[in-house]
Amino acid sequence: MPKFALRTPITLIRKILVQNVLSRARALLALQPISQADAERLDSLIALKTHELLGFPYRPSSKLLTLPITAHGFEFPSIANVNASLAVEGLVRDLNHHVPAYRKMARITLADWQCSINGCASPLDGAGLSRGFSRYCGRLPMAWISAQQAMGSSGVKLGLRLTDQSHVLRGDMSLTHVSAVCRAHGKDVPHGRVWLSLQKKGVSLLRHAGEWNARTFSPRTDPPFPTHRATDLGASVAWQRMVDVFENVPLSWFYIGSEDLVRPREEHRVAAESWIRWLAATSQMSASKVKSQESDVTMWASDGSASPASAGLLDPKTLIAAVTGPRTLVMRVAGTAKSILHAEVFAQIMDSLIATDIDNMGRHQLLTDHMNSVRLVDDSQTVVDIQPRLRNLPGRSYYRWLLSILQRNRHMHLEYTKAHTGGDSIESRLNDEADHYASGSHAVSTRLPIAPEPTFFMNDYTFFSDDHGWIESDIKTYLTSVFARRTSREFGYGHKHRMATWLYDKRPPPSFPYTHAVSAYSAAVQLYARSGQLPNAETMHSRSYLASNLCRFGCIAIEDMHHTFVCCPQFSTYRADALKDVERVTENAIKTGDKDSKVSNFPLLKHAAESLFLDNPVIWPLALTQFYLGHVPPLDGLIPRDAFSSGILRDRVLRNISSSWHITFVRLAGRIWGDYTRRVATSKGISARRFRASN
């Protein structure tokens, strides 16, 4: 770290860590991830070094330091999160590797892990995620152990699922594997000599012993080997014991996920396409009246819609796919981890399937406003092999499905058209109709048919979460969001409700005070305040550094954070100045929606602005003001929904108010705490800087 005459600003510390530490650590971890425990120790050392540079007496929380700013953190680099993300990404890359030899070696290693160590249960999905394998670092790759640990501790039941489990239905499982699964479910399984006797007779796989009847196993009545010789007696006894164990064993014991994963991929694809065609044929929705000017061309339009449009990767959302033309169909795309991209591409899949159902040999023009799909389809017709490009593309299974349909029907043409033009051309009118069906169906989304999951075109190993569904987006971005949400949830309960962000306004705070401010003393105060580590009388008394926890300025009250920032009369001047700033910035924010509006036009907002530094139960959820922690009270109920000409203007005003209030709050907290340390240090006859470092 460079030497400064003053304390190093927290914003500069963060920038140095990101540019000099994280960049090097990421490159090294990409080559070889380390154990998660070692990565967490590195995070603690980074937090310790940051604490020493800031000069406060008590250490803050390292987890709070690495939380994103949107989650009320400080967005410092986290070696633990980077290590876990790279390890998980490396695991799925190995199992889906494009080089067959590497892929085969990785799957052999996984098979050994599953059957030799974990009792024939998958360590990467289901119940296997709850088990730790740190003691097997000599038998398993350390990166894989770190990846499994990260997946198990993610808090969202993230599993790496095999998308083609048709081997179960075919019976391509060894008898010893089946017996181990039966033992795990409480069956009395015979010893290994029974299976050895059957293997000598050529009965080594489950399909040699019988077949699945509905959803249970039915063994053969007679063994497939001779039984009349005396030497066959042992094998005959072993066969009967096997029949007793395997009879009526349920199919569900041998696969994880939905039953569709057990079906052969081609059969599953045909069933999904047939169902979509049947839905379109029986739909009661009106067909489009817009016709092509060319008699031999049938025109279609598709569109996707997401609500709310601003929803993030893990936020609940509704995705609608719509297609219109000679037939009209609307479906809902399920899955929290999906985005509008999935709805757009699935709408094109519907488009192409319904078109072939109407006229398999005619020309069809498929209109879409999703340019990425059009470019990808055009590239697939010129590039020798498009599959390497699809391997890590978000929504890759949907793209593969679309390309498969178009390759089977060469007379279809996917064409881009601009959206929301309001023009009178055939393309614009068709696109407007598709947009009308997509955006207008959110009100009845629960009554719409759900789109089938294209697991038949997914990578062999694909991530699945019980909370978010199938995940085909960048797994590093997904895990970073999951870890942040998990840590935020941990801080949201307890800790004297300092980080209960779910109680307050949901709009993210501005990043400027935490990433670009020059002095950034206010940001440092926020770090220690949210960690509960400010050296006030209550904290120092609880740690036996002071004899009393009463206010050191003569107030008959306990000197906690709330008293110092809200009640103590020594700092009333700062609060009065900040209240004037609040009035000014609120007035400016209102004018961004309507230059003629005033705060006085909104009595609830005016009352809230006047009560920000008071314990007002009407404004603050806990009846206590929490401005000194950077919290902003809920704003949505303070301005009527019809206050401005559009909802977008109202959202802009509320966002500006939230950001302005937050900046005012953290600056006020910084001013009060700076004056507090100066006054206490003066009473002791030392400098404020020395006081902060010595307590």
Side-chain angles (χ1 to χ4, degrees), residues 156 311-317 336-337 468 477-478 480-483 485:
V156 293
L313 179 62
L314 305 183
D315 297 330
K317 60 181 77 71
T336 306
H468 306 129
T477 303
Y478 173 81
T480 300
S481 302
V482 165
F483 293 151
R485 181 163 293 191

Side-chain angles (χ1 to χ4, degrees), residues 7 674 676-695:
R7 292 287 182 186
Y676 170 90
T677 57
R678 182 185 62 80
R679 289 171 182 265
V680 173
T682 301
S683 66
K684 292 187 174 184
I686 59 176
S687 66
R689 180 178 177 181
R690 183 180 172 189
F691 167 77
R692 287 194 295 267
S694 61
N695 279 281

Side-chain angles (χ1 to χ4, degrees), residues 435-446:
D435 178 72
H436 166 74
Y437 283 113
S439 58
S441 299
H442 287 286
V444 293
S445 61
T446 55

Side-chain angles (χ1 to χ4, degrees), residues 460-481:
D460 289 344
Y461 286 89
T462 301
F463 289 104
F464 180 84
S465 166
D466 292 344
D467 297 337
H468 306 129
W470 293 101
I471 302 158
E472 289 190 302
S473 55
D474 179 40
I475 193 60
K476 297 194 297 297
T477 303
Y478 173 81
L479 283 175
T480 300
S481 302

Side-chain angles (χ1 to χ4, degrees), residues 512-527:
F512 177 81
Y514 307 101
T515 59
H516 293 88
V518 177
S519 175
Y521 180 71
S522 297
V525 172
Q526 287 299 304
L527 171 62

